[in-house]
């Protein structure tokens, strides 16, 4: 519940803003997932409308970028599959399409003034509490958006609010319940904690030889040494294979001619911009700039404007509403006054860099890489066939590796957990998923056999030969007697510690009792640990209190339900002992109007979220939805290639 409170603290139009901003991060390592398919073939249909591959691919790339930017790491195709990202992105597009169709059908509308006011209210666009148009345009430009697109998103958000708001109007919890719930969440509970470490537990008796022998016999599986296997491994790494693919000068020249259009550097222009709130001021500014006055000087004289030297830009760098105008101007010319919806703007072009085609020498490296990538699939398949044919003919793996210039390595013995005899991870330099597949293959082979060529991921393929099997066995009792004794003592200390902790929690009826018991058993006692129910659900370890870091969530949960001066017990978070937890006192939470109002907003937002989800579920059932699951699967596989 508390997690929902945190999730629902934002507003719809703020989420639209942030969604637009984060969607523009550059892609890390994910290529064009639709290069092999027609963009006209839909991946899904919603009612009478289709969702094109192009739209899906763009949304997928944006979401991958957002996640990678968040975690500061590249996500592998396997990880994307585990996250269910391919289906999630498609569901988001379907939901968006369903809502747009329903908004059109409902005939809802929103005024331009309301849209303008909502945009001006976005904190990210404000400076000193006032809307700053220059800041607004700069943020949009930095994140690959134009005003028209952003305004459309805001309009759709407002229309969606109109669609959903009737569902929740007048629906709220009773005021007394809201206040009681808020008090319960934020009242401070003060605890006293007594720690009973296992090393403070004195055993009533030491184990006899018969006790140890009995434990050994009853827990032989626990003491079994697992099976170990040693292998010979041949790795095929894409980067190495790519570098070995020969490309002739003739191929490079032909590719350059075939792809020449891709090597065109678009026209660039040095552009200045001046904006005013009224058309009259913008027209006067344009008149003065047309008399050869510098735009910067005009901006100083005609106050209230926003002047910016945009530098040298391509057409795509400009807002859509002004791009065509600017790229039809001559050098030194001033544009007509453009109404952007948020003011009136004029542009001036001071320099033009014409379109040019890069020479073959400038793009040679790029062409070479592209040609090698084109041949990589065939090269890998040829190598796979060659390796499998050689192995089938009885050629040793070592000779196969030598013949094909591949690396080969003898891997020391490891178990099914991928750990060596000295408990270190095997093949530690490889990615976890690659290691896992190698280990799985090693334990699926018969002694003296090898696997086929297996693609571990987009970068690495391998062949593994099983050299030796060390069977699992149970060491003789005499050889592990010390370990058995240690385990017996640990188990008994846990049992007696739990019994003592239960007894102490039952005997503790006051803080004085806790103090007496701590002194009696030589235990550590600390008091005045404050915690609220809201804080108890904090997942961020850095923000957790010392109490939360010491005790398990189960102990804390039981502690929050205790009557005053009652105690409970449970295992410590580090599993090194037990903790006896007593509710020392409760500091009531004072509810003021502002806090209650904010809490009510959160509750209402939660209700709105639930009701909106129900409506969306209904709309999805109303508008017939069909998904091309086969093409979705192919598309996700293409993204991984």
């Amino acid at each position: 519940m508390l997690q929902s409170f945190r999730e629902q603290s934002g507003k719809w139009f703020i989420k639209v803003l942030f969604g637009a901003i984060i969607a523009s991060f550059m892609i890390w390592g994910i290529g064009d997932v639709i290069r092999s398919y027609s963009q006209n073939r839909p991946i899904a249909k919603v009612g009478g409308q289709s969702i094109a591959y192009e739209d899906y691919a763009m949304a997928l790339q944006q979401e991958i970028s957002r996640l990678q930017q968040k975690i500061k790491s590249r996500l592998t195709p396997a990880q994307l599959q585990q996250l269910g990202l391919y289906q999630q992105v498609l569901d988001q597009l379907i939901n968006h399409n369903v809502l747009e169709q329903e908004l059109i059908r409902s005939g809802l509308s929103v005024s331009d003034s309301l849209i303008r006011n909502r945009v001006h209210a976005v904190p990210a666009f404000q400076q000193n509490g006032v809307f700053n148009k220059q800041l607004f345009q700069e943020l949009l430009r930095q994140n690959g958006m134009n005003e028209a697109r952003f305004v459309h998103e805001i309009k759709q958000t407002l229309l969606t609010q109109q669609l959903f708001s009737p569902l929740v109007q007048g629906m709220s919890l009773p005021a007394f319940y809201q206040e009681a719930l808020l008090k319960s969440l934020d009242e401070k509970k003060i605890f006293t904690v007594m720690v009973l470490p296992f090393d403070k537990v004195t055993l009533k008796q030491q184990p006899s030889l018969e006790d140890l022998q009995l434990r050994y016999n009853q827990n032989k599986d626990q003491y079994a040494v697992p099976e170990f296997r040693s292998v010979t491994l041949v790795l095929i790494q894409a980067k190495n294979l790519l570098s070995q693919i020969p490309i002739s000068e003739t191929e490079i020249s032909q590719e350059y001619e075939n792809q020449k259009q891709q090597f065109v550097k678009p026209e660039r222009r040095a552009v200045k911009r001046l904006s005013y709130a009224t058309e009259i001021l913008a027209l006067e500014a344009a008149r003065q700039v047309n008399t050869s006055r510098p735009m910067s000087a005009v901006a100083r004289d005609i106050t209230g404007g926003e002047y910016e030297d945009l530098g040298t830009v391509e057409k795509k760098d400009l807002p859509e509403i002004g791009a065509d105008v600017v790229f039809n101007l001559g050098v030194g010319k001033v544009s007509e006054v453009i109404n952007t919806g948020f003011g009136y703007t004029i542009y001036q072009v001071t320099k033009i860099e014409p379109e040019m085609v890069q020479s073959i020498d400038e793009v040679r490296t790029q062409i070479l890489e592209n040609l090698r990538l084109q041949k990589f699939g065939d090269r890998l398949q040829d190598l796979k066939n060659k390796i499998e044919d050689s192995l089938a003919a009885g050629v040793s793996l070592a000779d196969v590796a030598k013949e094909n210039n591949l690396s080969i390595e003898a891997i020391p013995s490891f178990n099914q957990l991928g750990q060596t005899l000295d408990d270190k991870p095997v093949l530690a330099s490889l990615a976890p998923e690659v290691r896992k597949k190698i280990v799985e293959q090693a334990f699926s082979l018969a002694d003296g056999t090898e696997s086929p060529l297996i693609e571990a991921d987009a970068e690495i393929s391998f062949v593994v030969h099983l050299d030796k099997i060390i069977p699992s066995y149970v060491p003789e009792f005499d050889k592990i007697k010390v370990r058995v004794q240690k385990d017996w003592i640990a188990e008994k200390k846990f049992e007696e510690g739990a019994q003592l902790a239960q007894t102490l929690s039952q005997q503790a009826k006051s803080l004085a009792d806790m103090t007496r018991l701590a002194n009696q058993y030589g235990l550590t006692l600390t008091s005045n640990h404050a915690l609220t129910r809201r804080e108890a659900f904090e997942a961020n370890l850095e923000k957790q209190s010392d109490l939360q870091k010491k005790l398990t969530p189960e102990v804390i949960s039981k502690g929050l339900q205790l009557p005053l001066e009652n105690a409970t017990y449970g295992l410590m978070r580090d599993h090194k002992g037990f903790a006896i937890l007593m509710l020392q006192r409760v500091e009531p939470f004072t509810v003021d109007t502002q806090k209650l109002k904010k809490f009510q907003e959160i509750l209402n937002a939660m209700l709105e979220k639930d009701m909106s989800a129900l409506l969306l579920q209904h709309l999805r059932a109303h508008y017939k939805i069909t998904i091309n699951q086969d093409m979705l699967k192919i598309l996700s596989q293409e993204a991984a290639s």
Side-chain angles (χ1 to χ4, degrees), residues 141 265-273 308-319 322-336 347-356:
R141 185 170 65 254
K265 282 189 174 181
E267 178 183 327
R268 288 159 50 89
R269 295 187 168 212
V271 180
K272 296 178 180 179
R273 176 173 62 191
E308 183 178 10
D309 187 340
L310 301 179
T312 304
V313 298
E314 297 178 14
K315 188 174 182 179
K316 65 180 179 60
D317 298 326
L318 296 172
D324 288 335
V325 174
V326 170
F327 273 75
N328 283 320
L329 289 175
V331 176
K333 299 299 182 181
V334 180
S335 73
E336 61 189 26
Y347 292 94
Q348 184 180 34
V349 175
T350 59
K351 181 182 176 182
I352 297 177
E353 295 179 2
E355 176 183 286
M356 64 171 291

Side-chain angles (χ1 to χ4, degrees), residues 133-134 137 271-278 281-289 293-310 334-338 340 343-348:
K133 184 180 178 183
Q134 185 176 0
Q137 293 175 329
V271 180
K272 296 178 180 179
R273 176 173 62 191
L274 181 57
S275 300
Y276 287 92
T278 66
L281 291 177
L283 287 169
E284 176 58 22
R287 186 190 67 77
Q288 292 192 26
V289 176
R293 289 198 67 203
M295 185 176 281
S296 58
V298 173
R300 287 194 301 269
D301 293 345
I302 304 177
T303 59
E306 295 176 355
Y307 166 73
E308 183 178 10
D309 187 340
L310 301 179
V334 180
S335 73
E336 61 189 26
V337 175
I338 301 173
T340 66
Y344 299 86
T345 299
I346 59 173
Y347 292 94
Q348 184 180 34

Side-chain angles (χ1 to χ4, degrees), residues 242 245-259 263 360 363-379:
L242 279 170
I245 298 176
I247 303 295
S248 68
E249 284 298 319
T250 300
E251 289 177 295
I252 293 175
S253 298
Q254 289 177 347
E255 183 71 7
Y256 176 75
E257 292 299 325
N258 293 338
Q259 304 296 331
F263 307 128
I360 190 170
V363 296
R364 180 181 299 276
T365 301
Q366 178 184 343
I367 292 175
L368 187 61
E369 181 180 341
N370 289 341
L371 286 172
R372 282 174 170 164
L373 285 171
Q374 292 173 24
K375 294 186 176 184
F376 177 72
D378 291 339
R379 172 73 170 178

Side-chain angles (χ1 to χ4, degrees), residues 509-525:
K509 301 299 182 182
S510 66
L511 184 57
D513 287 341
M514 289 280 280
T515 304
R516 174 178 55 79
L517 292 169
N519 291 333
Q520 179 180 343
Y521 289 92
L523 306 179
T524 301
L525 185 72

